[in-house]
């Protein structure tokens, strides 16, 4: 049997728990206004995962979907509000995981900043990673 990654994560209230049976892609710090509002933070830390690898193991009924644009759904816990994944119609086989909800340690580091042109005026990007005005 081939070696397989297994990650697990949960929302703030713990009602919703998930597993990822596969790889986590490049971590991206997204400074777009929608991510900032969805999380109440300077930026969101997101990484792509395969839809087929993502399994909700508890509290599936809690995953509420908000259509934040014509092509994006943002999915969060209905009880505590934790952002979990987003789904884009142009990449239906991928989810974008909010990696702050992981409980498994992650060895990877962020790779880039996107929508840096939209960053909050009070925020300073203090690492040497590539910055893109919108997407890379
Ligand atoms: Zn919750
Ligand atoms: Zn964003």
């Amino acid at each position: 049997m081939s070696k397989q990654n297994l990650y697990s994560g949960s929302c703030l209230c713990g009602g919703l728990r998930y597993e990822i049976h596969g790889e986590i892609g490049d971590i991206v710090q997204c400074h777009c206004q929608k991510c900032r509002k969805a999380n109440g933070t300077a930026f969101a830390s997101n990484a792509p995962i395969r839809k087929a690898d993502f399994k909700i193991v508890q509290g599936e009924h809690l995953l509420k979907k908000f259509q934040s644009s014509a092509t994006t759904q943002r999915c969060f816990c209905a009880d505590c509000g934790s952002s979990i994944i987003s789904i884009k119609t142009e990449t239906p086989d991928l989810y974008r995981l909010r990696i702050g909800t992981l409980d498994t340690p992650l060895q990877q580091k962020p790779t880039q900043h996107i929508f840096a042109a939209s960053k909050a005026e009070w925020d300073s990007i203090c690492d040497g990673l590539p910055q893109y005005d919108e997407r890379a």
Side-chain angles (χ1 to χ4, degrees):
M1 222 173 116
S2 66
K3 180 175 174 287
Q4 194 177 30
N5 293 324
L6 174 63
Y7 300 95
S8 60
S10 57
C11 64
L12 177 61
C13 74
L16 196 155
R17 296 188 178 276
Y18 64 81
E19 292 178 352
I20 300 163
H21 296 254
E23 289 176 14
I24 293 177
D26 283 349
I27 301 171
V28 168
Q29 310 284 43
C30 183
H31 298 256
C32 84
Q33 190 190 43
K34 285 177 175 161
C35 280
R36 290 195 277 118
K37 285 192 179 285
N39 297 284
T41 52
F43 55 86
S45 301
N46 305 331
I49 56 172
R50 279 184 295 271
K51 175 182 180 180
D53 294 340
F54 184 77
K55 307 268 182 274
I56 295 182
V57 295
Q58 180 189 303
E60 183 146 26
H61 65 285
L62 293 173
L63 193 70
K64 184 154 194 220
K65 293 180 180 171
F66 172 66
Q67 192 85 37
S68 63
S69 76
T71 59
T72 304
Q73 288 182 315
R74 291 169 182 268
C75 307
F76 58 95
C77 173
D79 272 357
C80 69
S82 286
S83 296
I84 307 291
I85 55 171
S86 67
I87 307 170
K88 287 180 178 289
T89 51
E90 59 266 36
T91 52
D93 296 335
L94 295 177
Y95 288 159
R96 284 178 178 73
L97 180 71
R98 278 42 192 163
I99 63 166
T101 60
L102 282 169
D103 295 315
T104 307
L106 191 58
Q107 306 306 324
Q108 300 159 232
K109 301 293 183 204
T111 62
Q112 60 195 276
H113 295 268
I114 64 170
F115 290 94
S118 309
K119 79 175 180 64
E121 66 286 352
W122 45 263
D123 179 26
S124 303
I125 298 174
C126 297
D127 59 38
L129 296 175
Q131 298 180 23
Y132 300 98
D133 281 356
E134 293 190 353
R135 294 184 187 287

